Amino acid sequence: MENLTAYLDESLVPLEQKVKEYLEIEREITLLEVKIINQQTKMAASDDTDHKESPAESAQPQESDLGNKEQMLEELLQRYNEKKKELINMLPEQNKFIEVNLGYGPSMIGYFTTDLETHQELNEPILRIVH
């Protein structure tokens, strides 16, 4: 009979922690991307409608803030890719899911080197997390 609680194994806790960190970084990237897009949209709208102030004076603080957010996004993407590599190195097998406990029941993580549909070799491994 299959062990249905294997995902509760204590030896998987370090992997689970890394997965949670990875997912948190992914969430931060998504939120920051939305903020950047919103700010770009507001800047474009204000350029079209704002003729009272000179464009250089009104756009400068917004552009520096946008530059800071873009820099933060680059740093987050770098951390994201590092975590992805760490997770791939921690996984025992390729092309197979393993169950982990992320706090809300069994979840699965795996990295795949072949496309599941075409069975073609991929250029780089794809990390998949089902949660």
Side-chain angles (χ1 to χ4, degrees), residues 7-109:
Y7 73 97
L8 297 173
D9 186 357
E10 291 292 322
S11 67
L12 295 175
V13 170
L15 176 63
E16 293 163 2
Q17 291 301 99
K18 291 283 184 194
V19 172
K20 289 176 184 177
E21 292 170 10
Y22 178 83
L23 292 173
E24 181 60 28
I25 293 170
E26 186 176 65
R27 181 180 165 281
E28 289 175 21
I29 288 170
T30 302
L31 292 174
L32 191 55
E33 285 174 334
V34 169
K35 287 179 183 179
I36 289 171
I37 291 169
N38 285 340
Q39 188 167 358
Q40 289 171 337
T41 304
K42 286 179 185 177
M43 287 174 59
S46 70
D47 286 345
D48 292 340
T49 59
D50 188 16
H51 297 287
K52 294 178 183 174
E53 295 181 51
S54 74
E57 291 174 7
S58 64
Q60 190 173 7
Q62 289 181 345
E63 287 175 3
S64 67
D65 186 43
L66 182 62
N68 290 340
K69 287 179 180 169
E70 289 172 342
Q71 178 65 33
M72 287 172 53
L73 181 61
E74 283 182 34
E75 292 169 6
L76 280 172
L77 288 170
Q78 184 177 357
R79 283 182 40 214
Y80 181 76
N81 288 325
E82 289 169 2
K83 284 286 182 221
K84 177 181 174 181
K85 288 176 185 173
E86 287 177 30
L87 282 169
I88 288 172
N89 290 333
M90 290 177 79
L91 291 169
E93 296 181 53
Q94 64 185 16
N95 300 317
K96 183 178 177 184
F97 279 112
I98 64 167
E99 288 187 338
V100 293
N101 181 16
L102 299 179
Y104 37 83
S107 300
M108 297 186 302
I109 181 170

